[in-house]
Amino acid sequence: MNRIITNSDLANVDYTDLLDKILKVLKEQQIFTISEDNQRLLIDVNQVVNEVIKLNPTNPLGNERAVRAATLNFSANSQDLFIERIKEITDYIQQHLTAAIQKNPANQLINRFQFIQQLLTDLQTFKGQYNKHEKTKETLLNFTYPFLPAKNLQKQRLTVKRTENSPNKQLLKAHKVKISVDKPRDFSATLLTGINNYLDVNFADINSQDREELEDIIDNLAKNPNSDIYSVQNLVNQETLGKLKKLAKIKYLEFLLENIDENASDDNFKGKIYLQDLIRRLYLLEDYINDSNKADGEYEVNYAGKSVNYQSMFSRSEAYDILPIIPKIEGFLGETEDPGKEKIEFTFGLKLKFDGKVQTYGGRTVFDYNLNLLNPKEHQQAVGNESENSGFAYQVLKIAFLYYFIFASRQDPTAVDYDPRKELEYDPLAKVNIILSTLQGNDEEAKKKLLINLRKGFNDYKIQHKIDVLKKVLRNLIKRETSFPSGNYPVHISVKNSILENDIDRINDRETIFKEALRKNFKDCLKYINVGNATTQANLLITLRANINISELHFLETEDKETFTMEYDIPRSVKVLPAIFLGMQDKRCQDFYNKNLQHRKLLIFPHRLETEKLENHQQIIYKITYSLLAYICLHVILEKQTKIFIPLLRIHLKQKTDENVIIEKFIVSLTKVLSHLFNDGYRSNEQGIVITDSQKQINFKIPNVLSSLYSVIPKKFIFSSTDNCSFKELDKLAIIIVSSRESDSKWGIKEKKSNLMGEILTLQMEAKSVRFQLFKTFSENFNDHENMFEYPTVIVDNVNKLYQKGYRHFVYIAKVPYSSTLHITQTVKDEELFFMSKNVITAFIKDKPDIKIYPMFFEKYYVVKMKSKVTSTSLYIQDTLELTSLEEDRNKQSVIFFNLFNGLQVANDVNYHGVMSYATLLNTAVSEVMRYS
């Protein structure tokens, strides 16, 4: 572990008490159990962790608040103790493993390294047809896999150009939104004008002395670069884009509404009305929460001891995401700024959420699942559990209000005289005060009765039926091949006067005219920003013009195709040591293990079941302790071993869509981390399977699970001899993919620590074939987040090592450096290239005159398959002129040059498919560095 420098501005962590209690348990409890036949090693980390929790260790974070992340910012003197205790824990685990081995008399003459050697199995022996159960003929998951070649794979070039003479068949379609904002030449001066106008109206009757004092306060605010005036600038700068994206979701619904042909069918007629009603109600809700005449207290409600502010709740960009049908903005396609710095544009991908199914609850729809949360009978356990209560009550209050506003109705769609147009006559504002007054009071029984009545009303008037009709209409609409005209929607961004105080004594006492909330939490100040249609309201401090443009992308097939074959290239002498993670106490897990895995040599990691819930602080202890011990145990087991592949298989009882799953989701995250860590030196991969599915589903999933698990095995791609593809000048290529995550950060604090992580893939080319393999993974901690983009040592070192191995060509890939700010307070925008900064590229090429670095940004957006059958395995666009339709960058700072789409159909009910988009840099300092090197 590289030395971590403590930062006093960040939250401190101290693991000492936790590690001491882990040591206490390890002194008394064996962690390893070896089967009688020496074939399986059980590592009971779970039992050790449960005993540690009983000792009630101190939370390593203490009582810190406002923490985004806390991992490595050690408190004074605790880092040395941390290192010391980790060494002691490792020693105990080594001793436990030796003791467990020696317990069997047959092992008296071997050490722990030799014992692990006996557990290893040659990878070649895993090759074979899927095993079947002798009696039931069910496919068994015991790591046997055929490793068959995939023949006649095909890639096909697409185009976005439609020609009348040779009309190409449309295969894919996507929707995108471009959000542009006009920036003021001087934001602070414009804001001051608004403040002075406010003073003239609201303090016109005060005496001259009070007016002079007010003007002095405003003058001091204007001169101080850290004052509330600049906080308002930062508020608009940092939080407005989220509100614009929220409005863009409603505008996208309008865009779709304009393209529904109501005369095409009865469903279309009804669906168009339902969509119109959804849009109408969303706007009513927006107006309601943005009512400047209402005091903050009018939006305060509570349930089960948890208080929330509806105005703050529904001001957030994700406020409507729990609706069964709502647009989602996914895929960042670009950010551009005009040369005069007076306009900034953001381009995003669009998709629709289609009331999907929550499999854990019998395949219930999202709407039905959320309705069930309004049932007070379902609340007893959550209300009584400290770790669940706060989040659960927040969710119940949110669903109750939002679903009432959007779905309350007096029209039964199955009635003989049903007229869907009457849906547009329902006014949710008529009874909203009754809802609020009940939720604002202290009568919990009245609140439960309200929730029951809401749920009953939604069922009585068959809201799910209406949602199903709208879902069907929209699914057909997005797959319609006819082009939709672009939609253009001008909007205004305004800061409301309600952000200002109206009490002169309070202004004088605090020496600011802005409300106290501005200094506490930006998220709570979102209610003071209004984003909507152009308005003539006089109660606004400052207004910026913006525009939302929604348009389509059409992807057409061409005759440009290539075929190839993929085959596994399994290296010799590779040994396998599988590890499984499962809730061993559940009989279903035991039965699955006994039927599928008990005859394999493997490692077994039991974990907790979901039945006994942990308190929030206990969850933290469980996750930290289990992660630490699982990693150290694997580290000890793999010590001195070479050329090992460690497949990590998870046995799940719950679906990932189940929001109440805590432990299994943690195990998913843990195995991903373990796999990444052990790919630096070994080879590893992780995958899971849900065993509570039907046997038919399990049989179907097993080949996919194993295919994914073995995907790190080297492969060889062989192109058809008739294709034009050949590698004449390139014999070796390395692909470096980088990313990062904050390890230590605090809300409102700029400084942070981060962890850099990534992986390296290598390609070795011959005339008509390519050998592809994962070379290694890497990670490194950085005391200063910004230093990571100055000189990332771990990447530079790996480039140097590959260069010594003869690699001269490097594809260097990082995620698009998306900025969520409007840059309204900057005179000159920072480069913000992060991993593509000039310093990083310069470090790569230093003393390497013949090296070639190809920097690429990647992002993912979503497309819809047309009704035409896609026969190719992969689809791509490689014409940079065509791809400019994704992102129009007039400054030519970057260019999207390649899009890749997997043509495989995973399931019939999948509506969207991901497309990977790659862009490179033009006319920037980075490209200049590369050109002259």
Side-chain angles (χ1 to χ4, degrees), residues 113-144:
F113 309 114
Q114 293 168 323
F115 174 78
I116 298 301
Q117 277 284 339
Q118 294 178 7
L119 274 183
L120 304 179
T121 307
D122 194 291
L123 178 56
Q124 294 286 351
T125 65
F126 282 67
K127 187 174 182 179
Q129 293 301 314
Y130 302 110
N131 295 126
K132 301 284 185 178
H133 192 274
E134 289 183 5
K135 295 181 179 179
T136 64
K137 304 303 178 183
E138 298 165 359
T139 303
L140 298 179
L141 199 170
N142 65 355
F143 295 102
T144 300

Side-chain angles (χ1 to χ4, degrees), residues 221 228 231 510-512 515-521 525:
L221 290 173
D228 288 344
S231 293
R510 296 183 55 245
E511 296 185 338
T512 180
K515 288 186 175 176
E516 192 173 5
L518 188 61
R519 298 183 181 180
K520 289 184 176 180
N521 188 344
C525 293

Side-chain angles (χ1 to χ4, degrees), residues 257-321:
L257 179 70
E258 294 163 5
N259 289 284
I260 296 177
D261 180 3
E262 63 188 70
N263 299 316
S265 66
D266 184 57
D267 278 344
N268 269 29
F269 175 72
K270 292 177 181 176
K272 187 165 187 175
I273 291 173
Y274 295 155
L275 182 56
Q276 184 181 348
D277 194 39
L278 172 59
I279 295 166
R280 177 183 72 92
R281 292 174 183 240
L282 287 170
Y283 277 129
L284 282 174
L285 181 52
E286 284 290 298
D287 290 341
Y288 184 80
I289 65 170
N290 286 306
D291 188 347
S292 300
N293 297 317
K294 292 184 180 293
D296 287 354
E298 295 185 57
Y299 296 100
E300 293 285 344
V301 295
N302 66 85
Y303 181 66
K306 169 69 175 177
S307 295
V308 301
N309 183 294
Y310 274 147
Q311 191 177 47
S312 296
M313 176 187 284
F314 290 107
S315 292
R316 302 192 177 197
S317 62
E318 73 280 4
Y320 303 138
D321 288 356

Side-chain angles (χ1 to χ4, degrees), residues 425-462:
E425 298 174 5
Y426 188 90
D427 182 11
L429 293 172
K431 292 187 177 181
V432 70
N433 289 331
I434 298 174
I435 305 283
L436 277 178
S437 61
T438 303
L439 295 176
Q440 288 170 339
N442 298 317
D443 188 342
E444 293 298 310
E445 289 304 315
K447 294 175 188 179
K448 291 178 182 179
K449 185 177 179 180
L450 170 66
L451 297 177
I452 291 171
N453 288 336
L454 284 173
R455 187 165 174 264
K456 182 176 184 299
F458 296 142
N459 286 323
D460 287 349
Y461 291 101
K462 299 177 177 59

Side-chain angles (χ1 to χ4, degrees), residues 782-879:
F782 284 83
N783 287 302
D784 185 340
H785 178 77
E786 297 302 320
N787 287 345
M788 186 166 58
F789 309 119
E790 292 292 320
Y791 194 87
T793 312
V794 67
I795 306 178
V796 175
D797 289 347
N798 277 300
V799 169
N800 291 339
K801 290 176 183 176
L802 286 163
Y803 186 82
Q804 295 299 320
K805 292 178 177 289
Y807 286 85
R808 295 296 182 267
H809 298 269
F810 294 81
V811 172
Y812 178 53
I813 304 177
K815 190 171 175 61
V816 170
Y818 165 51
S819 168
S820 61
T821 65
L822 301 182
H823 308 298
I824 63 171
T825 59
Q826 294 172 275
T827 305
V828 179
K829 180 184 170 184
D830 298 327
E831 282 192 26
E832 295 184 346
L833 291 175
F834 302 110
F835 287 115
M836 298 295 178
S837 72
K838 179 180 177 180
N839 290 337
V840 172
I841 301 297
T842 301
F844 290 168
I845 66 178
K846 185 179 179 182
D847 300 326
K848 305 179 190 71
D850 54 346
I851 196 172
K852 301 293 182 184
I853 304 285
Y854 309 99
M856 298 180 191
F857 290 125
F858 76 91
E859 182 54 293
K860 186 178 185 179
Y861 65 97
Y862 291 87
V863 298
V864 176
K865 276 187 183 179
M866 297 293 95
K867 295 177 182 178
S868 307
K869 184 175 177 62
V870 177
T871 57
S872 297
T873 313
S874 65
L875 307 168
Y876 67 96
I877 302 181
Q878 201 167 352
D879 188 326

Side-chain angles (χ1 to χ4, degrees), residues 735-796:
I735 302 175
I736 303 174
I737 306 165
V738 295
S739 184
S740 68
R741 294 190 67 178
E742 297 174 7
S743 63
D744 297 81
S745 63
K746 227 174 180 182
W747 294 107
I749 300 294
K750 183 179 179 181
E751 290 78 13
K752 53 188 172 184
K753 300 176 187 290
S754 291
N755 176 263
L756 183 155
M757 65 195 77
E759 64 181 21
I760 301 173
L761 309 169
T762 58
L763 287 78
Q764 296 177 328
M765 276 73 84
E766 297 178 2
K768 286 285 183 178
S769 67
V770 179
R771 187 179 190 272
F772 175 92
Q773 70 171 345
L774 172 66
F775 181 72
K776 66 170 297 186
T777 55
F778 56 83
S779 62
E780 184 177 12
N781 296 318
F782 284 83
N783 287 302
D784 185 340
H785 178 77
E786 297 302 320
N787 287 345
M788 186 166 58
F789 309 119
E790 292 292 320
Y791 194 87
T793 312
V794 67
I795 306 178
V796 175

